[in-house]
Amino acid sequence: MAEEYDYHKMWADLGMDVEAHDGPLAAVGQMYGDAFLTQKNRPKSTSYLDGVAGALHSGRIRELVEGRAAGNPKRVVGTFCLYVPEEVVTAAGAVEVGLCAGAE
């Protein structure tokens, strides 16, 4: 079972307005559930996307914050969708973070 982790402190430490963040985050989760989790005959192979979608604002960010605190990665590169191959960022000794052109 996954450990419970309160991401609010991490977000606050990053300078985020946590209260403003919680509203849209809950809405996105609801929309994801309504659009995908309710589909009839949804292929089981797509269930890995549930974890990816759930960790966009939490697990991946935590991984980067903890990595930076440990001295690795030295650089984090934000990219839009698939316009920059992840292999190029990795070869440069950095870690890629996907950005969304529709979000601030």
Side-chain angles (χ1 to χ4, degrees):
M1 177 176 250
E3 71 175 276
E4 290 292 322
Y5 186 84
D6 183 7
Y7 290 99
H8 289 91
K9 179 178 180 343
M10 178 187 72
W11 293 330
D13 290 346
L14 290 171
M16 290 178 61
D17 181 338
V18 176
E19 188 175 330
H21 179 258
D22 278 350
L25 188 61
V28 168
Q30 181 67 46
M31 288 185 292
Y32 181 85
D34 291 348
F36 298 107
L37 300 181
T38 59
Q39 291 177 347
K40 293 180 181 177
N41 300 319
R42 182 175 184 236
K44 291 183 184 191
S45 62
T46 62
S47 65
Y48 78 94
L49 293 172
D50 303 341
V52 171
L56 288 176
H57 290 251
S58 55
R60 179 69 171 139
I61 305 303
R62 178 182 176 192
E63 177 185 345
L64 296 170
V65 168
E66 290 177 352
R68 179 163 276 174
N72 185 21
K74 294 182 172 90
R75 305 240 188 259
V76 175
V77 177
T79 63
F80 288 97
C81 298
L82 301 174
Y83 298 120
V84 177
E86 186 174 349
E87 294 85 355
V88 172
V89 176
T90 302
V95 173
E96 177 201 14
V97 176
L99 304 174
C100 178
E104 294 182 19

